[in-house]
Amino acid sequence: MTTRPPAEIGMSLDDVDTPALLIDLDAFEKNLSKMAESVNSHGLRLRPHAKTHKCAQVALRQMELGAVGVCCQKVSEAEALVQGGVANLLVSNEVVGGRKLDRLAALAREARVAVCVDDAGNIDELENAAAAVDVRLDVLVEINVGANRCGVEPGSAALALAQKVRAAPHLRFAGLQAYQGKAQHIRDYAERRAAIEAAAKKAQTTVSLLSSSGIGCRIVAGAGTGSWQFEAQSGVYNELQAGSYVFMDADYARNRNADGSMFNEFEHSLFVFATVMSMPEPRRAVVDAGLKSMAFDSGMPEVAGSESIRYSGPSDEHGNLDLSATNTPIRLGDKLKLIPGHCDPTVNLHDWFVCVRGGRVEALWPIVARGAVW
Ligand SMILES: *Cc1c(COP(=O)(O)O)cnc(C)c1O
């Protein structure tokens, strides 16, 4: 860790330097408990995605509340979390290339490690890497259930890979990865549900085909924050991988509930704290948080508690606030909480979570897998 945190434990929120990445601990804890209890009440397993937070403290809290482990997207992310004490990880992604596979296999000496595959040659390379250090890796065959990212087609292509995994002495066939990422941000409830019902059908067809060949799927994994209730009700998924629910970004808040209201299952708990650093015009303020403090791929941030103030025009270190529609007086030096559009790539821009409760800094958590994208 190279940079000092922008705050000290015990300090008042007003004194936290900016831009800083804040966690509102009350909201965050509610989100963690709500998901843990709901998944548990369905009799399913939760394996939250750690690409959202990249933080060992968060992963360990999720596991204290019953999560079986966490998902990672990259080997380096998994390495950072294992170093932070996380002992059960699924790299919910394909790992390709000798050096990466060697690192993945080495990690399995320290923690329970699983990985996804969608290619026969990759299974041979995984087997070789695992054999070289004498470990056994859990392997999920990834199927394409509509997201058109990685994954073989459901059915016979998946069966062929499962058989190949089962024949590899240092690999253990663990089941299917069937994540429908594209469905997560479908705004309309019924359309979102239909996308997951279609995905679940494809997963079910594949589970049945494997079963008729004598192959059981211990794990059928998928689900994100936008769709997890549907996977939970599907009768086929048994391990849910939602990640963003811990923070709830502005983009997820644009999804709709069944009655058409805005998606409010979880509370915003992640904020970029910013300072008004210039007031060049009476109705325009400039804050010190731009492209290097937040991700903009899912749109502009919202200003927490002030819907009439619009953020626009980010550059590296600046953003404009349009004050023409607000009565809230804004002065130079004021600090504001911004709700980022997309939580995961926002987190990856910061080294520290400044954890706040009751207006005070309660904890500082290092984002140990920040930048761990290889
Ligand atoms: C990102 C991701 C998730 C979690 O999605 P959220 O939208 O952050 O809840 C789950 N599974 C996989 C494979 C992912 O890539």
Side-chain angles (χ1 to χ4, degrees):
M1 201 59 59
T2 51
T3 61
R4 289 192 303 163
E8 285 170 25
I9 291 173
M11 143 189 293
S12 153
L13 174 60
D14 305 332
D15 294 330
V16 171
D17 210 345
T18 64
L21 192 62
L22 306 180
I23 293 180
D24 175 330
L25 284 172
D26 287 336
F28 166 83
E29 288 170 3
K30 263 191 240 169
N31 292 344
L32 256 63
S33 307
K34 189 167 190 184
M35 180 63 87
E37 283 160 21
S38 303
V39 172
N40 190 37
S41 74
H42 281 96
L44 304 174
R45 291 187 300 272
L46 179 63
R47 180 183 288 279
H49 216 299
K51 76 176 198 261
T52 304
H53 54 72
K54 290 179 163 280
C55 174
Q57 276 84 349
V58 177
L60 293 171
R61 279 179 168 231
Q62 290 173 315
M63 291 175 71
E64 271 166 35
L65 291 174
V68 291
V70 294
C71 297
C72 296
Q73 214 70 317
K74 297 301 183 91
V75 178
S76 57
E77 203 168 57
E79 286 169 336
L81 292 175
V82 167
Q83 204 164 24
V86 180
N88 189 324
L89 305 105
L90 162 64
V91 179
S92 60
N93 205 357
E94 282 65 21
V95 174
V96 172
R99 193 170 145 71
K100 284 186 204 300
L101 290 166
D102 289 346
R103 283 166 43 222
L104 182 77
L107 206 57
R109 299 196 72 102
E110 298 174 59
R112 178 114 193 204
V113 175
V115 66
C116 295
V117 298
D118 67 359
D119 178 82
N122 185 229
I123 294 172
D124 290 329
E125 291 182 344
L126 253 185
E127 165 61 22
N128 291 341
V133 288
D134 195 25
V135 295
R136 196 136 186 235
L137 292 167
D138 289 305
V139 175
L140 302 186
V141 170
E142 181 165 10
I143 56 173
N144 176 16
V145 291
N148 298 328
R149 192 166 70 178
C150 302
V152 291
E153 286 309 302
S156 55
L159 173 63
L161 291 186
Q163 285 167 331
K164 190 165 170 67
V165 170
R166 276 164 55 95
H170 295 85
L171 306 181
R172 194 187 291 114
F173 176 71
L176 299 176
Q177 171 74 12
Y179 176 60
Q180 213 316 9
K182 286 242 168 69
Q184 301 308 317
H185 294 90
I186 297 175
R187 299 307 182 202
D188 181 71
Y189 181 90
E191 285 175 29
R192 203 160 64 244
R193 184 176 58 195
I196 298 303
E197 283 170 357
K201 214 176 213 172
K202 291 177 184 185
Q204 184 59 64
T205 307
T206 310
V207 169
S208 302
L209 179 68
L210 266 65
S211 168
S212 65
S213 305
I215 303 176
C217 290
R218 186 163 50 80
I219 299 172
V220 181
T225 301
S227 73
W228 65 278
Q229 304 97 321
F230 308 133
E231 280 92 347
Q233 292 158 8
S234 68
V236 54
Y237 287 89
N238 59 20
E239 198 166 291
L240 307 189
Q241 303 179 327
S244 302
Y245 74 97
V246 297
F247 294 145
M248 256 305 281
D249 52 35
D251 194 50
Y252 260 126
R254 294 171 192 134
N255 276 6
R256 301 276 172 178
N257 295 318
D259 63 2
S261 61
M262 304 309 283
F263 184 70
N264 55 358
E265 203 61 55
F266 300 99
E267 294 180 21
H268 295 300
S269 70
L270 184 80
F271 303 93
V272 173
F273 202 39
T275 300
V276 175
M277 58 180 288
S278 175
M279 300 257 339
E281 298 169 46
R283 306 315 293 165
R284 183 169 68 86
V286 179
V287 290
D288 61 352
L291 301 171
K292 290 185 181 169
S293 307
M294 273 173 293
F296 289 87
D297 58 295
S298 301
M300 295 298 135
E302 310 279 347
V303 180
S306 298
E307 274 157 34
S308 51
I309 303 179
R310 309 305 305 174
Y311 180 109
S312 69
S315 56
D316 278 16
E317 314 287 5
H318 301 92
N320 275 302
L321 297 182
D322 177 356
L323 306 176
S324 56
T326 183
N327 299 321
T328 315
I330 297 286
R331 291 182 206 85
L332 195 73
D334 282 356
K335 291 178 179 175
L336 303 164
K337 293 201 292 188
L338 303 173
I339 305 166
H342 191 181
C343 54
D344 319 55
T346 296
V347 167
N348 194 47
L349 296 170
H350 296 262
D351 286 329
W352 295 93
F353 287 120
V354 176
C355 305
V356 176
R357 192 186 324 261
R360 297 235 154 246
V361 176
E362 184 172 304
L364 296 165
W365 293 341
I367 302 170
V368 286
R370 183 260 169 103
V373 292
W374 71 92

